Amino acid sequence: MSRPYRAHYAGGMAKGRPAKRGKRRADAAGRRPAAKPKSTPKSTSKSPPQPGPKRQSKPKPTAAPAPAAPPEEPRTFRLGAIPGATPGKWIDAWKERMPHVPLELVPLTVAEQRSALHDLDAALVRLPIERQGIDAIPLYDEVAVVIVSVDSALTVADELTFDDLAGEVVIVPEDDALGPLTIPGAAQPTFAAPAETADAVATVAAGVGVLLAPMSLARLHHRKDLTFRPLREGPVSTVALAWESERTTADVETFIGIVRGRTPHSSRD
């Protein structure tokens, strides 16, 4: 009894068992159909917004270029200089600062220094000078020396005084740079005054008399047969820059700045 019951029971269980979901039945050849591909779940995230076209900024208005300065007229700066003046460093500074304006150095004598200013931009002169209609800036003072022959007895001293010149023939040329002097006990020359300092120097070299002059002139006219000694408490010779007042041009102002040591960007005060 038990077998038929088990068989019947087994068959009933086989017939009444529901098929499991998800299994694919095989066909007669034992093949199962291919599984359907799983669909990719749709993304729920939103894509980032795409940047829009950049807004072009309007070009800023540019200032119109400044008109070019008109070219300067060709010109030359004419600088006069009395004998013994030493403008070398100022001329070098002018060439660096004003390379487009040549500088012409014009030699002057003390006798003609005032009248020559009319044809010059400026001049290095010796004071005193007639000041009517001109401006002048004192630059430096020179000490006076006594120019003597190398054979003179005055050479034994390192410096001289007015008392040492008593009995000496003191020569005063027409272009004397020191002005009138009164030397007690000095002898007057028996010949006409030389026209220029160079002629007086030649006379002293010949052993006749002595000559008083600024030290720069003694060095300018140096000779082997001459020497000089400083004159204690003697006069000084002042060298100045002078120009006509009504012709104070921009070039004159530039040269004034140079002799005063101003830089191109410094104030005129």
Side-chain angles (χ1 to χ4, degrees), residues 23-214:
K23 290 186 178 182
R24 297 181 298 275
R25 294 181 180 180
D27 58 8
R31 294 173 296 189
R32 294 179 178 178
K36 294 181 180 181
K38 296 180 179 180
S39 59
T40 305
K42 295 182 179 180
S43 175
T44 58
S45 62
K46 296 181 179 180
S47 60
Q50 298 295 326
K54 293 183 178 180
R55 185 177 298 175
Q56 295 182 352
S57 59
K58 295 182 180 180
K60 296 181 179 180
T62 56
E72 297 184 7
E73 294 183 2
R75 62 190 186 279
T76 299
F77 187 79
R78 303 185 76 236
L79 176 68
I82 42 86
T86 54
K89 63 179 181 180
W90 299 323
I91 293 176
D92 292 341
W94 175 273
K95 290 179 180 179
E96 293 179 1
R97 194 173 304 183
M98 302 285 287
H100 56 291
V101 181
L103 187 148
E104 178 186 357
L105 188 62
V106 181
L108 302 176
T109 63
V110 174
E112 67 178 354
Q113 62 181 6
R114 176 61 184 89
S115 60
L117 280 174
H118 182 70
D119 297 322
L120 301 171
D121 292 286
L124 298 176
V125 300
R126 291 193 184 276
L127 300 182
I129 187 174
E130 172 59 45
R131 300 292 293 268
Q132 182 66 33
I134 71 168
D135 291 328
I137 301 173
L139 299 177
Y140 58 89
D141 294 333
E142 289 189 74
V143 299
V145 299
V146 182
I147 303 175
V148 299
S149 168
V150 292
D151 299 327
S152 172
L154 297 175
T155 59
V156 297
D158 293 332
E159 62 180 11
L160 301 174
T161 65
F162 284 111
D163 292 339
D164 295 324
L165 301 181
E168 297 287 341
V169 176
V170 178
I171 303 173
V172 181
E174 294 180 2
D175 64 348
D176 177 47
L178 295 177
L181 292 175
T182 300
I183 304 176
Q188 295 295 323
T190 57
F191 49 86
E196 298 181 358
T197 298
D199 299 329
V201 168
T203 302
V204 173
V208 179
V210 299
L211 172 66
L212 276 63

